[in-house]
Amino acid sequence: LIFDINLSFYAHITKVTKTAFFHLHNITKIRYCLSKAEAETLIHAFVSSRLDYCNVLFYGLPRCVALKSIRVQNAAARVLTKTRKFDTITPCIIATSLTSCLCAM
């Protein structure tokens, strides 16, 4: 957990999202040879667990800060369901078990 002067956790969220996108990029490279259950396990292990860590501290932060984490969640749902970038994401998130992420935001 990275603290800053204003306790906005902006640096922490930036680092977590950067790391999560790195792992999502690597999972995307091997997604074609993984089943949906295996991909979901990897996403939960490397992405969702990082987003869920201390997310209760993010409650009440400005929406612009929370959007970074929401983008990671949307990208994880796209990787898991093999959805294209410009397709709507809401049905994908509902269809996956990624809905537990970021409930506090």
Side-chain angles (χ1 to χ4, degrees):
L1 195 58
I2 301 172
F3 292 101
D4 57 354
I5 295 171
N6 300 325
L7 290 179
S8 67
F9 300 105
Y10 185 78
H12 174 72
I13 292 175
T14 301
K15 184 176 180 188
V16 167
T17 55
K18 184 177 179 180
T19 304
F21 275 122
F22 171 77
H23 289 299
L24 276 176
H25 178 72
N26 289 337
I27 292 170
T28 303
K29 287 182 180 181
I30 62 168
R31 176 66 179 102
Y32 68 92
C33 62
L34 297 173
S35 69
K36 185 174 181 178
E38 293 168 338
E40 187 173 357
T41 302
L42 285 176
I43 288 172
H44 277 295
F46 291 110
V47 179
S48 298
S49 62
R50 294 177 195 275
L51 291 178
D52 286 339
Y53 178 72
C54 292
N55 74 349
V56 75
L57 295 175
F58 306 147
Y59 182 77
L61 289 180
R63 181 87 173 144
C64 62
V65 176
L67 281 176
K68 286 186 167 205
S69 298
I70 292 170
R71 285 188 196 112
V72 173
Q73 182 185 17
N74 291 348
R78 287 185 195 285
V79 169
L80 185 60
T81 59
K82 297 181 181 177
T83 307
R84 285 185 256 146
K85 184 176 182 179
F86 294 107
D87 293 342
T88 184
I89 194 63
T90 305
C92 298
I93 291 177
I94 293 170
T96 64
S97 61
L98 296 173
T99 55
S100 64
C101 296
L102 305 172
C103 291
M105 291 187 181

